[in-house]
Amino acid sequence: MTAIPQERRLVTAIPGPKSQELQARRTAAVAGGVGSVLPVFAARAGGGIVEDVDGNRLIDFGSGIAVTSVGAGAEAVVRRASAQLADFTHTCFMVTPYEGYVEVCEQLAELTPGDHAKKSALFNSGAEAVENAVKIARAYTKRQAVVVFDHGYHGRTNLTMALTSKNMPYKNGFGPFAPEIYRVPVAYGYRWPTGPENCGPEASAQVIDQINKQIGADNVAAIVIEPLLGEGGFIEPAKGFLPALARFARENGIVFVADEIQSGFCRTGQWFACEDEGVVPDLITTAKGIAGGLPLAAVTGRAEIMDAAHPGGLGGTYGGNPVACAAALGAIETMKELDLPAKARHIETVMKPRLAALSEKYDVIGDIRGRGAMIAIELVKDRATKEPNPEATAALAKACHAAGLLVLTCGTYGNVLRFLPPLVIGEDLLTEGLDIIEQAFSAL
């Protein structure tokens, strides 16, 4: 494939005439419930650029929601997936298996935290991975209750909607939801009543107390948490919170599940976000960044837990599709070769100081947080009351889009601007993207 010039270029207004034509076709043919951040139709993408059908080149600070961490056309991903396509597209691993699936599971055993014996099962999406992690935990513990957290997001299937904390747009009107799901507070330092310095120990004590009182630790199959919360606003649980929960789980025979679907595969400057405090989960769910843009997901964990489900109890027609497995091996090869954890850490050293300088100028910025190339700013109407400011967030995103920078928003209150650049983005594009963000603030 031809390399896309790594420079921003605007030749029409955003969206341009060809995108508008396609949008009209889309409106007629695609269900209205499927949203889009920006109605700009992509023609090519790679590195830190998305090129649209009108020839505009946008700087990419979204990576398809943390998916194209190695870029949207990484050489090793394209090469390996193309070779696999030429051999066969599908046999179904549950009918006649193939080496690629096994090899991905071997890589996951090597890369995920902990040196215990591990096994994996492969699926298609993050939601499927989380749902299967719950199935496996229930099979292993012979218990039913699942503990999840405020601001958590785990998917759009019926069970994962129940696990997800935000009503709009994920749950509204789609119930009834699965039972035996219990929600507890998360250690959200910026909004913790007694301040961020007390948040870790106080929140973990509160969670453990609630579990013991309201559910009974002996009834809990799994505690499921994102080590760095994604859709809920890129919330980094306060220090000490995750280790305390993992310890409580271990002491009570509860399966501790790290949902690393958005935070995994080098995104936070480590292979997995839970490594930041040395937390070793029993099960870890991955998807998004795993296969360079092809649909693949995994549950990886302690061999004895993973083997608890009866033969035939796990699977799915497309789970661990051979082309997606080949792409995953190409993505992992790229991550190792280019040392993408280091690249993510470097992105943080470029972004955080620039955003901190903006924070000194603009009172609308309440908090800057995240790690690696998973960075966010929370916008507020008043720094004292911390009242969320979704209007400013939407206005900033709109201004960035018009200037040719693709950014995403998130947060339970819709007031978080999040940045997920591809880990292979050039520093010049990164800096230019930050310039555009700065201009957007000055025009607020």
Side-chain angles (χ1 to χ4, degrees):
M1 68 177 249
T2 323
I4 299 168
Q6 293 296 296
E7 54 194 37
R8 179 176 65 110
R9 179 177 76 168
L10 295 182
V11 292
T12 71
I14 302 291
K18 288 182 181 172
S19 275
Q20 289 179 39
E21 277 174 37
L22 283 165
Q23 181 64 16
R25 284 171 56 192
R26 173 210 166 121
T27 303
V30 179
V34 181
S36 287
V37 170
L38 183 57
V40 159
F41 283 73
R44 300 191 300 157
I49 292 287
V50 174
E51 184 174 295
D52 73 9
V53 288
D54 291 287
N56 298 300
R57 291 194 203 112
L58 284 71
I59 300 173
D60 183 9
F61 272 20
S63 301
I65 318 185
V67 168
T68 54
S69 300
V70 295
E75 185 276 329
V77 172
V78 174
R79 167 171 45 81
R80 286 187 182 234
S82 301
Q84 179 56 53
L85 265 173
D87 289 339
F88 59 91
T89 58
H90 176 75
T91 65
C92 185
F93 190 76
M94 298 183 303
V95 178
T96 52
Y98 36 86
E99 187 181 1
Y101 187 118
V102 177
E103 205 177 334
V104 170
C105 293
E106 288 169 343
Q107 291 284 338
L108 286 164
E110 177 198 312
L111 293 167
T112 50
D115 53 12
H116 49 274
K118 294 176 210 157
K119 292 190 178 184
S120 295
L122 305 183
F123 304 98
N124 303 291
S125 68
E128 264 189 81
V130 173
E131 187 137 341
N132 278 279
V134 170
K135 281 167 61 174
I136 292 162
R138 283 174 167 166
Y140 178 70
T141 59
K142 308 289 189 280
R143 305 170 181 178
Q144 292 182 341
V146 178
V147 173
V148 288
F149 294 81
D150 283 340
H151 309 288
Y153 174 83
H154 300 288
R156 295 174 182 265
T157 60
N158 185 269
L159 176 62
T160 56
M161 279 191 295
L163 301 175
T164 291
S165 73
K166 189 178 180 182
N167 176 49
M168 275 300 284
Y170 307 117
K171 302 166 76 162
N172 197 51
F174 298 143
F177 301 112
E180 286 301 311
I181 310 295
Y182 299 88
R183 195 168 315 284
V184 294
V186 77
Y188 189 168
Y190 176 62
R191 293 187 174 275
W192 196 253
T194 58
E197 63 286 347
N198 301 314
C199 182
E202 286 182 7
S204 54
Q206 197 175 320
V207 166
I208 289 165
D209 184 54
Q210 252 178 262
I211 292 172
N212 284 327
K213 276 185 191 158
Q214 296 179 20
I215 316 161
D218 290 351
N219 294 317
V220 179
I223 292 173
V224 184
I225 189 166
E226 302 157 276
L228 203 160
L229 282 72
E231 303 303 304
F234 281 27
I235 298 162
E236 271 191 280
K239 293 289 181 240
F241 184 71
L242 291 172
L245 292 182
R247 191 163 54 246
F248 172 74
R250 194 166 54 248
E251 288 164 358
N252 290 278
I254 298 166
V255 177
F256 187 76
V257 183
D259 176 342
E260 291 258 14
I261 285 153
Q262 193 162 164
S263 59
F265 285 100
C266 314
R267 176 54 58 183
T268 61
Q270 287 158 305
W271 276 90
F272 297 96
C274 57
E275 295 176 69
D276 181 61
E277 290 187 89
V279 170
V280 176
D282 297 310
L283 299 180
I284 185 165
T285 60
T286 50
K288 291 194 184 293
I290 193 174
L294 273 76
L296 188 70
V299 183
T300 302
R302 297 183 185 279
E304 68 276 14
I305 299 177
M306 291 299 297
D307 281 341
H310 52 273
L314 304 177
T317 303
Y318 297 110
N321 168 272
V323 182
C325 284
L329 294 169
I332 291 166
E333 177 189 322
T334 307
M335 290 168 195
K336 288 177 174 176
E337 249 175 44
L338 301 180
D339 191 2
L340 290 191
K343 286 269 203 304
R345 293 192 296 274
H346 179 67
I347 287 169
E348 179 179 350
T349 64
V350 175
M351 292 193 86
K352 281 251 181 103
R354 287 286 301 271
L355 297 175
L358 283 180
S359 175
E360 286 176 21
K361 275 175 78 174
Y362 300 104
D363 285 349
V364 71
I365 297 177
D367 194 27
I368 299 164
R369 57 177 178 255
R371 297 198 300 273
M374 190 171 178
I375 304 283
I377 43 184
E378 178 163 357
L379 301 163
V380 292
K381 291 179 180 173
D382 180 308
R383 280 186 175 173
T385 65
K386 300 182 180 177
E387 186 188 341
N389 195 337
E391 300 80 10
T393 312
L396 285 163
K398 192 177 177 185
C400 289
H401 295 161
L405 174 67
L406 182 55
V407 295
L408 308 174
T409 60
C410 66
T412 303
Y413 314 111
N415 68 323
V416 177
L417 206 54
R418 60 171 156 172
F419 310 117
L420 292 162
L423 304 182
V424 296
I425 193 169
E427 190 152 346
D428 51 343
L429 285 181
L430 191 61
T431 304
E432 190 179 354
L434 289 161
D435 294 341
I436 291 169
I437 293 165
E438 196 163 329
Q439 286 157 13
F441 269 99
S442 66
L444 251 191

